[in-house]
Amino acid sequence: MQLDGRVAIVTGGGDGIGAGVARRFAAEGATVLVADVNEETGGAVADEIGGRFLRTDVGDKSQVLEMVATAVREWGGVDILVNNAWAPGELGRVENKTDDMLARGLGIGFYGPLWAMQAAFPHMKERGWGRIVNMCSLNGVNAHMGTLEYNAAKEALRTLTRTAAREWAPTGIVVNAICPGAKSAAFRRRMRENPELEKASGAMNPMGRMGDPEQDIAPAALFLASEGARYVTGNTLYVDGGSHINGVAWTPDLP
Ligand SMILES: NC(=O)c1ccc[n+]([C@@H]2O[C@H](COP(=O)([O-])OP(=O)(O)OC[C@H]3O[C@@H](n4cnc5c(N)ncnc54)[C@H](O)[C@@H]3O)[C@@H](O)[C@H]2O)c1
């Protein structure tokens, strides 16, 4: 059991990759706080793995602070933080993006993870041990079209990952990013709207398929959350069947 006795928070743990990570962490002995805006799915995952659910909107600072405070109150600290929550916005060109769209994207994708990291930091530092895993995206790395707020938030999160990795390196806290590629709830929704996407994403992937949240993505998160990652910090790990090698130039039809 690689995470025996560890306390983990997984944001967006009610579905997709977050649910896969929460299940895997629990199977490895962690006590998991599933923090999600969706009470139904989040509650179901928490019940299934014997964890705890807390309704949390990661775009709301007071709720993020309460999320960390809950783990500290219930279990005495936080060892592992997985910043994974995201909700896609509307596709659109740069010139049509509004301040509200940008604020929403940066709120969920950048500020939420930052607030969680700031709140968890003193508790991890006190124990001299911490693991932070931030879910980022090839979308941002390659600047895919139509998703400016997503790309900007995820690249800001990657630079936060590296900055915190440097500043916190002496404390026993390691901070890493994963750029995943998986058939999650979000991906299935997109496929329903865009049926050719499944074929196209398979064809663009060197392994010929999108990953499975629990079988393909969660093991990488588990490694970064484990004792074995103690000398690994500031990295971006592409867990995507090799998609990043060719860049996956997704070019949607935009108005
Ligand atoms: N699936 C992929 O191929 C892929 C690719 C690149 C990056 N990612 C990243 O991986 C992470 C997980 O993606 P996924 O595909 O599993 O998504 P998903 O839509 O399947 O799951 C996201 C979860 O986050 C929750 N959520 C949404 N908004 C929230 C909020 N404001 N506060 C708290 N919870 C919220 C949802 O309810 C859901 O349970 C995201 O950060 C995403 O950007 C995924």
Side-chain angles (χ1 to χ4, degrees), residues 93-116:
R93 292 182 182 276
V94 168
E95 62 272 31
N96 299 324
K97 292 287 179 180
T98 64
D99 292 354
D100 283 350
M101 288 172 172
L102 267 295
R104 188 203 70 90
L106 289 168
I108 300 175
F110 174 70
Y111 282 104
L114 170 64
W115 296 324

Side-chain angles (χ1 to χ4, degrees), residues 7 12 16 85 87 98 101 107 149 162 178-179 184 191 198 207 223:
V7 174
T98 64
M101 288 172 172
E149 66 274 43
R162 294 196 304 277
I178 289 179
C179 289
S184 60
M191 281 192 307
E198 182 169 21
M207 291 195 186
F223 166 65

Side-chain angles (χ1 to χ4, degrees), residues 102 186 205 230:
L102 267 295
N205 186 302
R230 67 182 196 174

Side-chain angles (χ1 to χ4, degrees), residues 12 14-18 35-38 41 56-59 84-87 108 135-137 150 154 180-182 184-186 189 210:
D15 216 332
I17 292 169
D36 203 296
V37 271
N38 189 322
T41 55
T56 311
D57 177 351
V58 299
N84 164 83
W86 173 258
I108 300 175
M135 289 298 168
C136 295
S137 179
Y150 182 52
K154 293 298 187 179
S184 60
R189 264 193 311 276
M210 290 293 282

